[in-house]
Amino acid sequence: MNELQVELKNQLERFRNDKIEPTVEHDDKNESFKMEIFRELGQLGFCGMTLPEEYGGAGLTYQDFCVALSEIAKSSVSYAATISVSTMVQAIINEYGNEEQKKKYLPELTAGQEIGAFCLSESSSGSDAASLKTTAKKVDGGYVLNGSKMWITSGGIAKTYIVMARTGEEGHKGISSFIVQDGMDGFSYGKKESKMGWRVSPTRELVFENCFVPEENLLKEEGFGFKIAMSALDKGRITIGSIAVGLSQRALDESIKYSLERKQFNQSIFDFQGLQFMMADMATETEASRLLVEQAAMYYDLGTPNQKLASMAKLKSTDTAMKVSTDAVQILGGVGYTSEYPVERLMRDAKVLQILEGTNQIQKVVIARSLKKEYS
Ligand code: CAA
């Protein structure tokens, strides 16, 4: 880590201990997202870290961003995920938006005054994203959206939604991306999901019923929406990876601390070789994940995105988070299974990391396709 990254990490460690930890258990039980925590993170510059300064961002690298997200995730995967997805939305507008769109939407998002959400999945199109059915029919001055989106992170608390909808033929070439805002006529919220983990971060259905979206809210051009979504997910998968690394690190920290203190058979349980080997594996896997995430982020920072590495980083780090958090519960034993210690929450929060922004099976599809191309 460089000097700046150490400083960011220390600042966020203080923040999470002061502002997130005291109520994290209560908020998890009550599914309570606190906008004031998100806004404070915004005031500190953590809600638009990779965006250019001219639009209110901090102009930092994806490697810096990953360090920050890992640190936040040690206390709350939900706040880290909210920032990760909102930054993905900002990156889309910055990369594919015109000057007017950037000026209009980015400052509130980069400042953390408002949240952005990414809307691709539908009830019948999850992994097969190109088969989505929400339609955007061209009319005078804009488009009329009809359909619904499912499992939307920050649904209901976000103000700015990037919505992928069909403007043309079947398949990926008929998909376009739109900026839709909370409050637009015909746009409403459906069912809020009751989830195993990520309970502080709301996940909700979005419903479009003859929702008129003005022409100026189309991103880039008709038919470009699938590529916008896929290229955004390449970055999102790296940042989800960094969240997984933070979660694994916290699970490991809790396991070591507890096993050094807990005594059975007249010795601390850390001194049993069976547990030492578990923790040695947990530490090694966490470090390997961190290095892979860093490497994938570095390629982005150098301007040479590597889709295969992004998928590898997501696959490795999220599988590791699931394994490490499950092992942490095992090491803590009976108390690990209760909410007295954070490891049961970490285990619940880890599961969806293997599912969202492309299941880990989809990551393997991306990696294998890339290998085939390299070797053909
Ligand atoms: N960047 C730019 N363009 C890309 C791309 C990328 N990373 N990946 C593919 N494309 C382009 C291809 O080049 C191709 O274009 P051409 O026809 O012009 O050559 C086009 O997109 C179609 O590509 P594929 O043929 O590879 O598409 P596919 O239908 O076979 O799908 C897939 C590929 C990898 C399976 C893709 O559908 C996928 O990633 N599925 C998972 C979806 C996903 O991650 N959903 C998560 C939603 S968000 C979420 O989880 C929650 C949240 O709130 C954030």
Side-chain angles (χ1 to χ4, degrees):
M1 256 192 275
N2 62 33
E3 220 175 290
L4 171 75
Q5 289 166 352
V6 171
E7 207 177 295
L8 294 174
K9 184 183 171 302
N10 290 342
Q11 189 183 8
L12 281 167
E13 187 176 7
R14 284 194 299 276
F15 182 89
R16 67 181 180 83
N17 283 328
D18 289 352
K19 306 282 168 114
I20 302 179
E21 281 293 334
T23 59
V24 69
E25 234 20 87
H26 175 269
D27 293 345
D28 184 72
K29 275 199 184 76
N30 294 291
E31 302 187 357
S32 155
F33 178 87
K34 290 180 171 149
M35 195 64 192
E36 62 271 22
I37 289 188
F38 182 81
R39 291 206 165 125
E40 271 189 69
L41 284 162
Q43 278 161 11
L44 295 171
F46 292 110
C47 292
M49 284 181 72
T50 55
L51 271 286
E53 289 174 38
E54 65 175 306
Y55 302 113
L60 296 176
T61 64
Y62 267 85
Q63 290 169 90
D64 301 331
F65 187 31
C66 285
V67 168
L69 287 178
S70 288
E71 191 57 36
I72 299 169
K74 286 182 190 168
S75 285
S76 174
V77 169
S78 291
Y79 286 109
T82 309
I83 294 176
S84 166
V85 176
S86 189
T87 304
M88 183 159 88
V89 164
Q90 294 167 38
I92 290 176
I93 297 173
N94 186 48
E95 212 165 309
Y96 299 102
N98 56 37
E99 200 47 41
E100 225 169 279
Q101 291 169 333
K102 291 187 207 185
K103 284 200 176 116
K104 181 168 178 189
Y105 299 105
L106 286 179
E108 272 189 342
L109 290 168
T110 53
Q113 279 307 303
E114 300 297 346
I115 297 171
F118 177 82
C119 318
L120 178 64
S121 303
E122 298 179 3
S123 58
S124 61
S125 63
S127 291
D128 184 7
S131 68
L132 65 83
K133 290 193 169 65
T134 294
T135 54
K137 192 166 174 274
K138 185 86 188 77
V139 293
D140 206 19
Y143 296 82
V144 173
L145 267 61
N146 276 294
S148 67
K149 293 285 169 185
M150 290 292 286
W151 311 295
I152 304 306
T153 302
S154 303
I157 57 168
K159 181 174 175 189
T160 305
Y161 295 81
I162 303 289
V163 178
M164 270 47 81
R166 190 163 299 285
T167 46
E169 64 196 81
E170 282 199 0
H172 75 87
K173 290 197 171 93
I175 297 171
S176 306
S177 294
F178 298 91
I179 304 171
V180 177
Q181 289 219 287
D182 178 59
M184 279 181 161
D185 278 349
F187 171 30
S188 61
Y189 301 110
K191 187 174 126 219
K192 186 179 172 211
E193 305 295 345
S194 167
K195 308 193 298 288
M196 171 196 278
W198 277 40
R199 290 172 58 82
V200 166
S201 156
T203 303
R204 202 151 176 184
E205 180 187 13
L206 312 181
V207 181
F208 302 98
E209 289 165 308
N210 292 324
C211 170
F212 176 77
V213 178
E215 203 155 31
E216 63 259 29
N217 287 29
L218 172 71
L219 279 160
K220 201 166 162 79
E221 61 200 48
E222 274 191 29
F224 213 80
F226 190 74
K227 290 189 181 180
I228 291 178
M230 288 298 119
S231 66
L233 282 168
D234 287 344
K235 294 190 210 56
R237 288 165 183 169
I238 298 172
T239 55
I240 289 295
S242 71
I243 293 171
V245 169
L247 188 156
S248 298
Q249 186 62 54
R250 177 72 188 272
L252 175 65
D253 293 346
E254 293 295 328
S255 303
I256 298 173
K257 270 193 303 187
Y258 183 82
S259 60
L260 284 170
E261 278 168 17
R262 171 79 172 165
K263 291 208 167 33
Q264 290 290 275
F265 305 103
N266 301 318
Q267 64 178 36
S268 58
I269 61 170
F270 186 91
D271 290 331
F272 289 103
Q273 198 179 47
L275 292 200
Q276 287 179 355
F277 280 12
M278 268 171 92
M279 285 181 275
D281 282 342
M282 289 158 77
T284 306
E285 293 296 302
T286 302
E287 212 46 46
S289 302
R290 191 192 320 277
L291 292 172
L292 201 42
V293 167
E294 262 175 36
Q295 182 84 348
M298 187 192 75
Y299 274 91
Y300 266 94
D301 294 335
L302 291 173
T304 51
N306 186 319
Q307 197 192 358
K308 180 181 76 179
L309 262 183
S311 283
M312 285 177 166
K314 198 262 181 187
L315 170 66
K316 174 72 184 165
S317 60
T318 60
D319 279 354
T320 296
M322 193 67 249
K323 173 84 171 76
V324 167
S325 57
T326 307
D327 286 349
V329 171
Q330 188 68 23
I331 290 168
L332 270 74
V335 292
Y337 197 65
T338 72
S339 57
E340 198 181 323
Y341 285 83
V343 290
E344 65 85 28
R345 176 168 44 84
L346 295 175
M347 185 178 160
R348 287 187 287 106
D349 283 346
K351 186 60 216 173
V352 78
L353 296 172
Q354 295 177 300
I355 297 171
L356 53 62
E357 298 209 9
T359 64
N360 282 4
Q361 287 68 32
I362 287 293
Q363 306 312 320
K364 289 182 193 182
V365 169
V366 173
I367 295 163
R369 282 185 184 180
S370 185
L371 291 173
K372 191 172 178 189
K373 225 190 250 170
E374 282 169 31
Y375 284 80
S376 294

